[in-house]
Amino acid sequence: MQKRVAIGELVLAAFFAALGLLWVGAAIRMPLWEGFAPQSGFMPLWYGVVLVGLTLAVVVNLFRQGEGKAEEPIGKPILVLAVFAAGIAGLEPMGFGPAVFLMLLFMFVFIERLPIVSSVLVAGGTTAVLFLIFRTWLKVGLPVGPLGI
Amino acid sequence: MGSFGDLMTGFATAITPMHLLMCFAGVLLGQIIGVLPGIGPSAAIALLLPLTYGSDATGAIIMFAGLYYGAQYGGTLTSVLINVPGESSSVMTSIDGYQMATQGRGGVALGIAAIGSFIAGTFGTLGLMLLAPPLSKIALAFGPPEYCMLVLLGLTALAAVGGSVMKGLATGVAGLLLGTVGVDPQVGVPRFYFGQSWLLDGVDFIVLTVALFGVGEVLASCFTSSAEPILNVGRVLPNREEWGQAWKAVLRGTGIGFIIGVLPAAGATIASFVAYIVEKKLAKDPSRFGKGAIEGVAGPESSNNAASAGAMVPMFALGVPGSNTTAVMLGALIMFGLRPGPEMFTTNANLVWAVIASMYIGNVILLVMNLPLAGLFARLLQIRYSWIYPPILAICLTGVISHANNVEDAWLMFGFGVVGWLMKRYDWPAAPMVLGLVLGPLFENTLRQSLTLSHGSGWIFLSRPIAATLLLIALFAVVAPPLFEMIRQRKAAPVEA
């Protein structure tokens, strides 16, 4: 029987374990107990310890059972993530409207290879609807760029 | 009679034009969400949260409730017409529903699902109306130790439902841990903000929910870019013979669904599995199942809708969610400044009864909409996911920025989105993490209060009967699944040998 544990799952487990350790490290520098009462560091310390323990137990279980899931290709999600990150990064310099429009257009045209005219229409329509709902209707202050949108 | 009077007051609130519109919007959105791939009701509610922030809480919760049970039916369309369950609670429906569709009886499968869902939803709401108020009265006797154990029960029960209890517990604890970011509510000392002043308010519930359920789901599903060919819907109303076969299954499914829905974290998926198994066991000719038996659609469909109503009993009465979606709704209640739990029926009675009343109305809307419009909803299946997911990401981004009004939260959402993707990919449940974040402050406060009351002794949780009982149930929820699995494997071992 093939026993293989997905690298991605180990990365996820490592993230949770690191989060737990970070909390333990910070909590032990806080007051833990005073008189009868637990203080600010008490619960975070326990959360950190339990999280590390549970994550280790999951990892041990993964290796014991070899219940690794078949890895799916990650190319497309990574590409989507990269465009999404570029969209977020563009919010302040470009403003909400252009950043979201370009993000959508890039996903439709370059990632999904969809027809360009339909892509422009859907990207523009989506951006306009979001702008109308949040900025015009709900009066939310969205990031504004040189174009004023 | 008390509940009946309260219900009438609830109807008076629910039939105002705005609330009727919210109910209709919720049911309609739920239907669409249920049909579209890659986005579930939890994600949809998460995406709508920023839109409803600062608005009328009653209207928002009415819409979320409508979305919840509307999605249960929406998932049926995909199960029946393309053999792809839109929701996990529709998995059982696809077995016989798709077979019916291939025999040209897809419309009847959808029709009986709509009628069954209506009957189940109505009876389920009746059960919610009768059961939740007395349960909340019992819970009014709760002090800090009982509340603390109740939160523990909610977290462990939700963790225990997924594939791995350990993974569920780990994500639940991660949520509790994130709940400590910001200012310690008891002594006002800032902690875990890592020098970032925007983290002093803590990790926002909307940011985490949108990231895990919205961004995470999109990244995990963006492979599915093609549209599925769909089968003809045909006649929708079942004939006399079909109705004769189905009505008992509808009633049994209703009962099973409601009871399972009431159990913390059991939810609609388990309810539909149990209903299907019961129907197959009770059938005179079980060999019909899997080949287009109408009871195989009627039972699970009634069951998952009744479970949606049942799942609201622990949410409203105890503040413990009965499913992933109610976990997000619970967070929404807290976002609106309400405290879910026994006090809801006294301090926010109008809201609770209006939501209950709206569920009756929503079930009627669902029935009226579905019988004639099943074919129209089926056309939504022809939209490629490639057109759907980029706008979902844009909604996630806009929602988070508009709520927090800072780009840092958008980056936080991005980071948790990656975590949510990996969690979805490797079956680490997200709902316990959201619930941990939402209930973390209550858990910490009540635990610290309890330990202060008992002069630091943990005995307080064992010496008070309700707290001890809740603790025992919580332990059972954690221990039982691996124990049952071990017993099952032991039983299976000699057969395999």
Side-chain angles (χ1 to χ4, degrees), chain B residues 3 6 128-142 147 150 312-319 340-347 349 352-353:
Chain B
S3 292
D6 290 331
L128 164 66
M129 184 185 107
L130 296 175
L131 194 62
L135 195 62
S136 71
K137 275 189 188 139
I138 297 169
L140 275 174
F142 283 18
Y147 265 116
L150 193 61
M312 298 221 184
V313 173
M315 185 187 82
F316 279 137
L318 301 174
E343 289 149 24
M344 280 288 284
F345 278 90
T346 46
T347 53
V352 177
W353 286 107

Side-chain angles (χ1 to χ4, degrees), chain A residues 17-72:
Chain A
L19 199 67
L21 286 174
L22 183 67
W23 251 247
V24 170
I28 51 172
R29 288 196 292 270
M30 292 177 183
L32 296 174
W33 198 276
E34 203 175 282
F36 298 128
Q39 295 299 305
S40 299
F42 180 76
M43 296 295 288
L45 175 69
W46 278 106
Y47 291 155
V49 170
V50 174
L51 183 58
V52 172
L54 283 168
T55 311
L56 285 178
V58 171
V59 172
V60 169
N61 219 20
L62 287 176
F63 279 105
R64 256 185 50 211
Q65 297 184 344
E67 60 175 42
K69 230 177 139 177
E71 288 279 21
E72 291 162 340

